[in-house]
Amino acid sequence: MPEALVERAREALDNAYVPYSEYTVGAALRTADGEVYVGCNIENANYSNSLHAEEVAVAEAVKNGHTEFDRLVVTSGARDGVTPCGMCRQTLAEFCDEDLPVVCDLGGDDVAEYTLGELLPNTISLDTLEAAAAKRDADE
Ligand code: THU
Ligand code: ZN
C-alpha cells in the first residue's frame, strides 16, 4: 500500500483543472507538525497564469500559518514520476531545507525519492540576500 501522503496527492488529482494540457498534477505537502496541505494544477486560457500543484499546496499551507515542512509528494494522472518544475523547486526552497524529501509517484507502491537539494542545488535564498546586505554594510 502506498504511503498516506501519496494517497492524498492522488486524491488531489480529482480537482485538477486542465482543459488545455489534460495533464493532471497533484501535490501533498506535510507540515513539520503533521498537517497535510494538497494542491492541484489549475490552468488558464492565457497559459502563463496556470497554477502548479506544488505552488497551490504551498500557498494553502502558508495561508494557514505553516512555513515549515518535512515531506512533499508529487503525482500526475500519468503516474510518470513527474518532479516539480524549476519554478516550483524555487518556491519550495523558500520554505524548505535542502534535505526535504521530494517523493515522486510512479504508480502502485513505486516512487522515486529525491531531496530538494538534489533537484535544486545552489539556490538563491534569504541567506544570499542577507549575506550581500551584510557585505554592503561592512564595505561602507
Ligand atoms: N505542472 C504542475 O502542476 N507542476 C509542475 O511543477 C510541473 C507542471 C502542471 C502545469 C500544467 O498544468 C501541466 O502540469 C503541464 O505542464
Ligand atoms: Zn511547477
Side-chain angles (χ1 to χ4, degrees):
M1 233 179 52
E3 65 173 274
L5 208 58
V6 171
E7 296 286 13
R8 294 293 303 274
R10 289 179 183 174
E11 285 165 16
L13 294 170
D14 292 342
N15 293 324
Y17 174 76
V18 292
Y20 305 102
S21 73
E22 298 183 14
Y23 185 81
T24 57
V25 182
L29 184 62
R30 192 171 71 200
T31 68
D33 54 6
E35 288 189 41
V36 176
Y37 289 87
V38 301
C40 59
N41 51 341
I42 304 170
E43 297 186 341
N44 188 279
N46 79 354
Y47 285 33
S48 58
N49 279 17
S50 296
L51 302 175
H52 291 196
E54 302 91 323
E55 60 179 337
V56 171
V58 169
E60 280 289 305
V62 173
K63 184 188 81 180
N64 283 287
H66 299 277
T67 54
E68 289 181 34
F69 305 106
D70 70 8
R71 197 167 182 83
L72 172 72
V73 171
V74 184
T75 188
S76 79
R79 301 287 196 272
D80 51 4
V82 66
T83 63
C85 76
M87 177 186 76
C88 288
R89 293 175 194 195
Q90 182 66 39
T91 296
L92 290 160
E94 184 67 25
F95 299 105
C96 306
D97 296 334
E98 60 187 12
D99 61 359
L100 176 85
V102 177
V103 177
C104 301
D105 186 11
L106 286 163
D109 295 339
D110 292 341
V111 295
E113 187 167 330
Y114 311 91
T115 65
L116 183 59
E118 285 175 320
L119 297 177
L120 188 69
N122 304 321
T123 182
I124 189 168
S125 69
L126 180 58
D127 288 347
T128 317
L129 302 184
E130 285 179 345
K135 187 165 182 304
R136 279 198 305 276
D137 290 346
D139 290 348
E140 273 173 13

